[in-house]
Amino acid sequence: MKKTVVLGASDNPSRYAYLAANKLKRYGHPVIPVGIRKGEVAGEQIITEKKPIEGVDTVTLYVGTNNLPSWYEYILSLKPKRIIFNPGTENHELEKMAQEANIKTIHGCTLVMLSMGDY
């Protein structure tokens, strides 16, 4: 199972980050929700500070492109194996930084990847 940081986590059931966190959990992946507002999703408290997390396989992004720069350093500090750029989170600058750090980048949808068995 792939320990996954859901960046941009939300406790709002209408948000894709909420759906992704719950689906990841249903598929057996450990979920660490990180966001800007406190709450709970997939049975986990949303982390609102940029604290270290060990053993991260994947960071799946649900933060808009314009808001991503403030997260660059944190994302890279997690040393994930891969970053998933969900629709609307595409960011060439972060993608280049990740690739230079030997982090795989994927343009895709976490929800679709899980449904297709391609996560």
Side-chain angles (χ1 to χ4, degrees):
M1 296 294 96
K2 298 174 180 169
K3 184 186 238 183
T4 303
V5 171
V6 177
L7 188 63
S10 172
D11 62 0
N12 181 340
S14 69
R15 307 290 297 190
Y16 286 114
Y18 178 93
L19 299 172
N22 282 289
K23 193 166 192 171
L24 283 159
K25 189 93 168 218
R26 275 197 315 276
Y27 278 67
H29 299 286
V31 173
I32 299 95
V34 177
I36 59 171
R37 291 185 187 88
K38 292 182 186 239
E40 185 178 311
V41 63
E44 304 290 336
Q45 290 298 314
I46 297 172
I47 298 168
T48 57
E49 54 288 329
K50 296 175 181 174
K51 69 179 199 171
I53 302 168
E54 297 295 322
V56 174
D57 179 85
T58 303
V59 173
T60 184
L61 301 176
Y62 290 94
V63 175
T65 300
N66 293 338
N67 295 321
L68 270 175
S70 66
W71 292 97
Y72 289 174
E73 187 176 323
Y74 179 67
I75 294 166
L76 297 173
S77 77
L78 297 174
K79 296 181 174 46
K81 293 179 183 171
R82 65 182 180 165
I83 298 171
I84 299 174
F85 291 84
N86 287 280
T89 66
E90 298 85 358
N91 184 294
H92 297 294
E93 186 176 25
L94 177 57
E95 187 169 9
K96 182 179 177 195
M97 293 167 71
Q99 290 169 348
E100 288 171 355
N102 293 315
I103 299 168
K104 183 178 180 181
T105 58
I106 298 170
H107 290 263
C109 174
T110 298
L111 293 167
V112 171
M113 291 170 71
L114 287 163
S115 294
M116 302 291 292
D118 196 23
Y119 188 77

